[in-house]
Amino acid sequence: MTRQTTVEVTGSPRETKRGTEIRLEGVTKDYGLAAPAVDDISLTIEPGEFMTLLGPSGSGKTTTLNLIAGFETLTAGTISLDGADVSDVPPHRRNLGMLFQNYALFPHMTIAQNVAYPLRQRKVGKQEIARKVAEVLELVQLTGRDDTHPSKLSGGQQQRVALARAIVFEPKALLLDEPLGALDRNLRSALQTEIRRIHREVGSTFVFVTHDQEEAMNLADRIALFNNGRIEQVGTPQQLYAEPETLFTARFLGDSNVFELGQADLGGAVAWEGESWGVDPATVAAHPGVGKGSAIVVRPEDVEVAAGRDAVPVGANAVRAAVRDVEYMGSYRTLLLTIGDRGLFGRARVSALRGDYAIGDDVVVWWRPRAQRIVAA
Amino acid sequence: MSSNKIRWSSWLPLVPALALLAGILLVPLGKTFVRSVSNPDLTLANYEHLFTDGVTMTVLGRTALTAATVTIAALLLGYPYAYLMTRVSARTRGILLVVVLIPFWTSVMARNFAWIIILQDGGPVQSAFEAVGIDDVVLYGTTAGVTIAMTQVMLPFMVLPLFSTLGAIDRKLLLAARGLGSSPTAAFWKVFWPLSRGGVMAGVMLVFTLSLGFYVTPALLGSPQQSLVAQLLAQRTTLLLDFAAAGALGMVVLVITLVLVVWANRVGGTVSAIGVVATSQPKDR
């Protein structure tokens, strides 16, 4: 049997402070259905980066992760690790760690045996295995349970074991497939912090798949947002939130008020239901106007609410609205609004201390042109 | 364990079944045992005789060997078949299930006479071997022929428990093993096979114990010179009317079976009467 040649086993994970570059070029996966599951994706994940693949279900993010892992074969394109093409390398020779949503711990093995598994497959010596297992279990803060079987542990503990097993052999990168999806909210948040800490300590490249935008923003150095088998936008969480390129991105990350403009001239002012609004050129996305046209996106926290037009400052974009409902969120209130003649649904976030709004109140909402974003619709 | 305490009233629904079991199983079994050790005085002569008559031990050995061969053959055929059943579409799975159950639904006599026709001298099997230059393949009236027919009959008892066990194994575990550095072969032997052991033990126990007591097939397809335990029992009860000797032999077969079941439970999880594995996970120490 041919097997992976020797693997560097000296030194602890903590000493290896470098990651692997993962490069996807023209990556396509076609199952022969109406549209390819992954459609000509190119993406470079930097060494040591925490990259999140975010998107709705069926957008191709998990397929992309499985392609990187080698669990799926490419229809077209190449995947390389540190410049070496691994497109045709089977998964067990890619040397990548993988974390699954259902943990995938081996039920017939103890915790220690589970964590030792990748080392045994690599013919690491017994004492070395014992040392590394103890070390990595300490890293994930799960000591003293070595001889327990996985079924005796809670979901959070099981995922810690799976994490230990996935990093103990110092893989080139760690691939995480919605690893926190099965956990409740508090535990998820605790493990997010944990994963970030381990990413910092291990220093290797992490690729994390999730459909939860909050989780993505909380964890990632950069987010690749998937839609219909393609990457909609890649950037830091701040970039994706504050400078979305497309309406899909704006809608997927956070709440927004969306005013569709159609094929509008974005030179000076734009018109929406009879209102004339100013445009700040800096807020126009790179390629607006493609497809159906463009749209103005304003985040709820950037929208101000006034009683009448006379309270709106000069140069602000304004439109009349009615209060449909008020959500009290503690430190702030969210006004749910019906905007304009056709009753567009909107939101405004206002301080909890400022003014009382009743359902049915007629108001005017306004924002500065630099607070809006003009995206491709 | 205190959590396992059950109120006496929860035993009530079991009473009819227990009464039936006592009436038709335990009482006759007890009487058989009593007769096997009385002459009419207490004696172990019947048991001594089994070991000294020169026939019984040979037949028992032949029976055990035949049952073991059938078990191994059924496992080798049934494991890949059950594995395939877990991997195909629901429609194909239904077809595969029907195919394996057909022997179940066919009358025992019809099946055995069909085998006689297939295996007899000048039958299709012999002709096929002669066509490729292998003469003198005699299967009818031999232990080999009996083994082949018994394997076919026993296959469902192997496939069904295996299917229920293999189908319950999480496929993600194999992906995980691949990702952790195992070749497909290594992933199978290190992860899939150990997790399927409960089903294997259930199938092996079912097929082996049922094969030990097989009567019709060896009686029709085998020969009196190569008889198995069930034929010996039939001969002693219906021809020789030696109920004490037959009882002693029956007791020995029963003890062998019980020892095997206990052993299987210890090494392979809990095997229930219908062969479904209660748990494939090892208990915590």
Side-chain angles (χ1 to χ4, degrees):
Chain A
M1 210 192 310
T2 52
R3 194 179 284 279
Q4 179 105 20
T5 49
T6 50
V7 174
E8 192 62 50
V9 289
T10 51
S12 73
R14 264 159 266 202
E15 290 154 18
T16 22
K17 275 284 180 192
R18 55 172 292 281
T20 300
E21 180 203 73
I22 303 173
R23 190 188 289 267
L24 282 66
E25 280 168 296
V27 163
T28 301
K29 178 67 190 181
D30 195 340
Y31 293 105
L33 304 173
V38 175
D39 191 2
D40 193 21
I41 278 177
S42 294
L43 175 68
T44 301
I45 303 167
E46 303 293 338
E49 188 175 27
F50 198 127
M51 172 67 88
T52 294
L53 312 184
L54 175 67
S57 61
S59 60
K61 55 191 193 304
T62 299
T63 308
T64 302
L65 196 75
N66 284 334
L67 287 165
I68 297 174
F71 297 150
E72 301 272 7
T73 53
L74 289 160
T75 308
T78 58
I79 294 173
S80 48
L81 302 178
D82 275 342
D85 187 350
V86 296
S87 306
D88 297 320
V89 175
H92 60 286
R93 298 215 188 86
R94 290 195 188 187
N95 217 21
L96 297 167
M98 180 97 185
L99 217 53
F100 298 89
Q101 181 174 347
N102 68 350
Y103 325 128
L105 292 174
F106 304 131
H108 57 301
M109 298 182 193
T110 64
I111 301 311
Q113 286 168 343
N114 263 284
V115 177
Y117 187 90
L119 300 175
R120 283 231 210 86
Q121 292 301 291
R122 286 166 175 77
K123 308 267 185 229
V124 176
K126 243 190 185 134
Q127 289 184 343
E128 184 71 9
I129 289 181
R131 190 179 68 75
K132 282 181 157 276
V133 167
E135 197 175 78
V136 79
L137 283 175
E138 197 189 315
L139 180 68
V140 300
Q141 298 174 344
L142 202 77
T143 44
R145 308 297 298 270
D146 293 29
D147 296 328
T148 315
H149 279 273
S151 58
K152 303 278 171 189
L153 299 184
S154 70
Q157 290 173 323
Q158 289 191 40
Q159 198 55 291
R160 282 167 198 266
V161 176
L163 184 59
R165 187 180 66 174
I167 59 177
V168 70
F169 60 104
E170 292 161 42
K172 287 185 173 161
L174 184 62
L175 312 178
L176 308 95
D177 185 9
E178 306 222 13
L180 311 179
L183 304 173
D184 67 48
R185 198 181 172 78
N186 288 335
L187 203 50
R188 201 155 63 210
S189 141
L191 267 167
Q192 280 174 11
T193 314
E194 194 85 327
I195 286 174
R196 272 222 73 107
R197 174 179 68 81
I198 287 164
H199 175 247
R200 276 197 307 273
E201 290 196 22
V202 174
S204 88
T205 311
F206 277 35
V207 187
F208 188 104
V209 163
T210 182
H211 63 266
D212 180 340
Q213 44 117 344
E214 271 181 44
E215 189 167 275
M217 300 228 266
N218 182 10
L219 286 171
D221 293 329
R222 282 198 302 158
I223 294 173
L225 181 62
F226 278 68
N227 183 28
N228 285 329
R230 290 173 168 276
I231 292 181
E232 195 83 11
Q233 191 171 345
V234 185
T236 63
Q238 294 87 333
Q239 279 172 343
L240 261 66
Y241 186 79
E243 297 159 28
E245 296 287 332
T246 64
L247 192 51
F248 178 84
T249 307
R251 281 193 161 136
F252 201 86
L253 289 119
D255 295 321
S256 8
N257 298 293
V258 177
F259 306 94
E260 298 203 26
L261 300 174
Q263 301 284 355
D265 175 16
L266 304 172
V270 293
W272 189 83
E273 283 196 11
E275 305 282 351
S276 179
W277 290 340
V279 172
D280 182 340
T283 64
V284 180
H287 307 288
V290 291
K292 279 194 290 176
S294 44
I296 289 181
V297 172
V298 195
R299 299 292 184 187
E301 62 270 28
D302 295 328
V303 171
E304 303 284 343
V305 180
R309 293 258 173 192
D310 43 354
V312 176
V314 178
N317 296 336
V319 64
R320 62 178 187 80
V323 177
R324 179 202 295 241
D325 208 345
V326 183
E327 288 175 353
Y328 179 65
M329 308 299 284
S331 57
Y332 62 90
R333 286 178 219 271
T334 301
L335 303 186
L336 303 184
L337 303 165
T338 315
I339 300 175
D341 300 329
R342 279 180 288 162
L344 181 77
F345 182 78
R347 289 166 192 273
R349 179 182 292 190
V350 296
S351 163
L353 304 169
R354 247 200 50 209
D356 276 326
Y357 298 95
I359 294 169
D361 280 2
D362 285 321
V363 294
V364 172
V365 294
W366 61 271
W367 62 92
R368 301 282 183 186
R370 64 180 146 77
Q372 72 195 16
R373 178 85 183 161
I374 300 185
V375 299
Chain B
M1 252 183 279
S2 59
S3 59
N4 279 359
K5 267 183 194 160
I6 303 170
R7 272 200 262 183
W8 69 271
S9 58
S10 60
W11 288 86
L12 269 180
L14 281 176
V15 168
L18 288 176
L20 193 69
L21 266 182
I24 69 166
L25 182 71
L26 295 180
V27 169
L29 200 61
K31 283 184 129 180
T32 308
F33 176 70
V34 168
R35 187 177 287 193
S36 74
V37 293
S38 46
N39 190 22
D41 314 319
L42 189 65
T43 174
L44 285 176
N46 288 318
Y47 288 88
E48 277 177 44
H49 216 71
L50 294 180
F51 294 93
T52 53
D53 66 3
V55 177
T56 311
M57 283 301 119
T58 314
V59 171
L60 261 181
R62 184 189 298 134
T63 308
L65 189 67
T66 307
T69 314
V70 168
T71 306
I72 290 165
L75 181 61
L76 292 179
L77 292 171
Y79 197 97
Y81 194 93
Y83 181 79
L84 187 68
M85 279 174 69
T86 67
R87 300 295 295 148
V88 294
S89 67
R91 215 181 104 88
T92 318
R93 178 156 54 240
I95 295 169
L96 289 174
L97 197 61
V98 168
V99 168
V100 85
L101 283 176
I102 283 174
F104 236 23
W105 298 332
T106 321
S107 132
V108 182
M109 298 310 279
R111 239 171 5 203
N112 282 303
F113 282 115
W115 275 114
I116 291 177
I117 294 167
I118 293 168
L119 298 178
Q120 69 190 344
D121 290 346
V125 172
Q126 207 173 50
S127 316
F129 274 110
E130 276 164 11
V132 294
I134 307 170
D135 294 334
D136 300 331
V137 174
V138 182
L139 290 172
Y140 179 53
T142 65
T143 310
V146 171
T147 305
I148 291 171
M150 277 171 69
T151 303
Q152 187 239 355
V153 176
M154 285 300 163
L155 210 49
F157 294 99
M158 185 61 86
V159 168
L160 294 180
L162 275 176
F163 170 62
S164 83
T165 306
L166 300 193
I169 297 176
D170 181 4
R171 309 281 315 170
K172 278 259 164 64
L173 296 178
L174 288 178
L175 283 189
R178 298 292 312 280
L180 294 168
S182 295
S183 66
T185 321
F188 174 82
W189 287 112
K190 297 242 174 303
V191 176
F192 199 83
W193 172 255
L195 290 174
S196 68
R197 269 217 323 249
V200 170
M201 285 316 294
V204 162
M205 285 317 298
L206 269 176
V207 172
F208 189 79
T209 51
L210 286 173
S211 297
L212 277 183
F214 239 55
Y215 176 64
V216 179
T217 302
L220 288 177
L221 286 168
S223 78
Q225 284 76 42
Q226 298 189 2
S227 64
L228 302 185
V229 155
Q231 288 158 275
L232 205 60
L233 278 170
Q235 189 193 35
R236 282 180 190 171
T237 47
T238 59
L239 294 178
L240 307 175
L241 301 180
D242 188 352
F243 294 110
L249 179 53
M251 283 295 153
V252 168
V253 174
L254 182 64
V255 166
I256 292 174
T257 309
L258 287 179
V259 165
L260 282 172
V261 169
V262 169
W263 170 75
N265 275 344
R266 296 189 61 136
V267 301
T270 310
V271 184
S272 71
I274 54 162
V276 176
V277 181
T279 170
S280 60
Q281 288 188 12
K283 290 158 204 132
D284 254 15
R285 272 146 296 213

